Amino acid sequence: MKGSSTKVVALIAGIIVAISFYFVLLGQRGIDLIRDGGAVPVVLGIAVLVLPVLGVWMVYSTVRSGFQHQHLVTRAREEGCDLDVSGLPTMPSGRVDRDAADALFVEVKAEWEADPDNWRSSYRLARAYDYAGDRSRARETMKRAVALEAVDRER
């Protein structure tokens, strides 16, 4: 398990380095356009400079979210409150069978409704949303779990 996480971190680091190289090149092109003078090249240069700024923000927020989610995974496993899907039927792709995932979701949603302000129940609901295939709600619920866990940690 430890070796596979090291490989994932190395892969992510490599991708970030490659993207950073691209951002630097893009920024240089934007500066070159601004230096050329003239209205059109300056406007294009400014627009090109915005792209690396947006890219850096997206990479930062994605990596930050990944670390936050991994922290919750680790803490949930340590506390024994992670979802156990090992006994659920799976499809050939390895994903949990849709009907089983939907049944799991109903069960976990009932737990969450009983304690919606607990980060653990929000975390479990986010995972259940993910298994059920609702990625957008999974992300939103995981954000809530991260915020609730941060408040819990501060106490």
Side-chain angles (χ1 to χ4, degrees), residues 13 30 37 41 56-57 65:
V56 166
W57 174 78
S65 292

Side-chain angles (χ1 to χ4, degrees), residues 131-142:
Y131 287 123
D134 192 343
R135 301 278 189 273
S136 60
R137 286 195 177 130
R139 281 190 294 272
E140 290 305 313
T141 307
M142 189 63 82

Side-chain angles (χ1 to χ4, degrees), residues 37-94:
V40 174
V42 168
V43 170
L44 284 173
I46 291 169
V48 167
L49 282 176
V50 169
L51 294 175
V53 172
L54 288 174
V56 166
W57 174 78
M58 288 189 302
V59 168
Y60 169 77
S61 63
T62 300
V63 170
R64 182 171 167 251
S65 292
F67 281 126
Q68 290 171 332
H69 297 175
Q70 189 59 44
H71 170 73
L72 289 189
V73 169
T74 302
R75 188 160 175 203
R77 285 183 182 156
E78 287 172 354
E79 294 182 13
C81 63
D82 200 10
L83 284 181
D84 181 16
V85 295
S86 60
L88 297 179
T90 58
M91 297 183 292
S93 65

Side-chain angles (χ1 to χ4, degrees), residues 101-133:
D102 289 344
L104 174 69
F105 173 78
V106 169
E107 176 186 322
V108 172
K109 187 172 184 194
E111 292 173 12
W112 177 82
E113 288 171 345
D115 194 8
D117 294 328
N118 186 329
W119 72 265
R120 293 160 191 86
S121 60
S122 290
Y123 166 79
R124 289 171 58 85
L125 182 63
R127 297 295 303 266
Y129 271 127
D130 185 48
Y131 287 123

Side-chain angles (χ1 to χ4, degrees), residues 87-101:
L88 297 179
T90 58
M91 297 183 292
S93 65
R95 293 204 45 89
V96 174
D97 178 72
R98 182 61 187 232
D99 292 335

